[in-house]
Amino acid sequence: MTSPFPRPERRLQITADASDPLQRGVERGMQLRETLPGTIDAYDRLFRLGAVDEKTVRDDAERLLDAVDAHRPALRAQIEGIAAGADAEIWRVAALNGRTEILSRSVAVPPGECSTIVRSMRDADGRARTLGVQTWDWHMEIAPYWHTIISRGGVHDYAGLTECGILGKIGLNSAAVALHFNILGHRSDRPEGMPMHVLAALVLEEASSVAHAVELVREAPVTSSGSFALFDAAGDAVLLDISPEGVFSAPAITEGTWLRTNHFLTEAPAAHEKTWLYQPDSGLRWEFLRDRLLSVGAPTDAEQLRAMLVTGDGEPPVTCVPDLALPMGQRWASLATVVLDPVGRRADVLDGTPAETATRPHLALAL
């Protein structure tokens, strides 16, 4: 395995708790004043590497912001608040929130992406609970530009991980609904509807149950693709294929165990998948993890679940460590490893790869 990649000495942790959405965004933005310019610059370079020019980025960002405003004006207000608090242009922050949709235009080679496991189990006392674990794999250059977030003041409080300036990604809320997030690719993806990261924030702020979360996703005007693994303290769980073609529920690999990498798992959207984006990498990771889960026995706690994502030389890169000799745009890394526990209403965010659980900081978030 290649040597570890550089990360900040101290991870930014943000709390915003204003009841007014604009002010809640301002509170975030004020805490991002030092890091947001670097985030914007890093994505400007990634957009250029993908041959997406600045005018196209701005046009896409403004169109996506209008889509957010039409569906959830309060979320647009939060984006505008972040820009105001950080003294940044609104379209720049909108572009960060729509970075997945804008990068769907990219001609660059895409990264190996995230791996997620959700498992219903019984703890040492025999109590039923559902836990989820995920690697967040992305460009190494974004390592300085993500943070943990505790957001209060919406319908529900929520806690988790996201990138600087981006409303939502991975987390759980005070109604005990948890969300893991993977990117998928469909041939009809386009930067017009509700951005996936903003949709994740919507679910975290509003969902009172897994069923309600699915309803919120189905109602959203979606023109891009992703997967939400949703589970709650009641034991309900669902794995969604989200695409411009519709929202579909993917099957478990075995009773009580759901597995996601970066390809569609249901027939309709899979027929129009951008297979050149994440294959064969995604399929190899999925098959490797499926076989591991089915052969070694069911994990019974968070530590065992996290260990499922540890891989080494000669194995599919579930644990993703960048080759520092490669140029920007080709250095993929597991920037964080996240365990979500809706029963305990807590998240464990490991600031590193799953193989670094004993050597890198764990950031504990609780609601």
Side-chain angles (χ1 to χ4, degrees):
M1 212 181 254
T2 319
S3 59
F5 54 98
R7 285 151 294 191
E9 184 175 338
R10 186 179 181 87
R11 180 63 57 189
L12 181 62
Q13 301 187 58
I14 285 177
T15 299
D17 57 11
S19 58
D20 176 71
L22 179 65
Q23 186 57 36
R24 195 154 67 248
V26 170
E27 289 181 1
R28 273 209 207 193
M30 292 177 68
Q31 296 170 77
L32 292 169
R33 278 180 170 265
E34 293 185 8
T35 53
L36 192 61
T39 315
I40 290 170
D41 178 68
Y43 273 106
D44 279 350
R45 287 182 286 155
L46 289 171
F47 292 144
R48 287 197 299 271
L49 283 171
V52 186
D53 62 69
E54 184 175 295
K55 182 182 185 305
T56 301
V57 172
R58 181 166 188 161
D59 289 347
D60 286 348
E62 290 175 344
R63 183 167 53 252
L64 290 165
L65 192 59
D66 287 343
V68 173
D69 190 32
H71 190 61
R72 282 296 190 281
L75 294 176
R76 177 182 180 134
Q78 288 187 55
I79 292 170
E80 291 180 342
I82 290 171
D87 194 23
E89 294 178 276
I90 293 171
W91 76 266
R92 294 278 190 187
V93 180
L96 295 178
N97 281 272
R99 57 89 158 161
T100 298
E101 289 69 26
I102 296 169
L103 286 170
S104 71
R105 297 181 178 276
S106 175
V107 299
V109 177
E113 265 269 4
C114 313
S115 303
T116 298
I117 301 167
V118 173
R119 171 71 186 164
S120 296
M121 60 185 74
R122 292 193 177 274
D123 63 21
D125 297 323
R127 295 171 298 189
R129 69 193 313 147
T130 302
L131 298 178
V133 65
Q134 170 175 7
T135 57
W136 173 43
D137 302 338
W138 194 228
H139 296 277
M140 182 193 79
E141 289 77 11
I142 305 301
Y145 303 123
W146 65 266
H147 61 83
T148 59
I149 176 73
I150 294 179
S151 177
R152 301 187 177 96
V155 177
H156 301 294
D157 301 342
Y158 68 89
L161 169 160
T162 191
E163 297 169 68
C164 297
I166 296 180
L167 290 186
K169 189 186 293 288
I170 304 161
L172 77 170
N173 70 17
S174 54
V177 177
L179 184 156
H180 286 293
F181 176 18
N182 293 56
I183 290 298
L184 308 175
H186 192 277
R187 294 175 195 174
S188 296
D189 287 343
R190 56 198 185 278
E192 295 177 8
M194 194 76 167
M196 282 291 135
H197 285 84
V198 181
L199 183 58
L202 187 160
V203 169
L204 289 170
E205 275 204 0
E206 297 187 18
S208 57
S209 65
V210 165
H212 186 208
V214 173
E215 181 182 331
L216 291 170
V217 173
R218 292 189 185 280
E219 290 174 352
V222 167
T223 63
S224 55
S225 299
S227 172
F228 291 173
L230 299 160
F231 51 107
D232 60 25
D236 293 327
V238 67
L239 182 61
L240 298 181
D241 278 352
I242 307 168
S243 76
E245 197 167 341
V247 178
F248 306 87
S249 178
I253 61 167
T254 188
E255 185 177 358
T257 304
W258 293 263
L259 173 61
R260 167 67 71 187
T261 52
N262 299 99
H263 58 283
F264 289 106
L265 297 173
T266 55
E267 184 177 359
H272 302 101
E273 185 166 26
K274 291 180 178 177
T275 52
W276 60 90
L277 277 181
Y278 301 119
Q279 296 290 22
D281 173 79
S282 179
L284 292 172
R285 284 182 287 122
W286 192 90
E287 291 171 3
F288 176 86
L289 289 171
R290 177 201 60 194
D291 292 347
R292 174 178 276 184
L293 285 161
L294 294 178
S295 65
V296 304
T300 58
D301 59 28
E303 183 178 351
Q304 292 179 18
L305 199 59
R306 193 185 294 113
M308 293 290 101
L309 300 180
V310 176
T311 55
D313 293 340
E315 295 175 324
V318 177
T319 298
C320 193
V321 179
D323 183 345
L324 303 185
L326 292 174
M328 181 177 185
Q330 298 180 39
R331 297 184 288 197
W332 329 127
S334 294
L335 300 183
T337 308
V338 185
V339 173
L340 300 179
D341 175 10
V343 170
R345 288 175 174 77
R346 60 180 178 257
D348 177 296
V349 181
L350 167 60
D351 190 350
T353 76
E356 297 176 300
T357 186
T359 58
R360 291 286 301 166
H362 288 255
L363 311 172
L365 305 173
L367 293 170

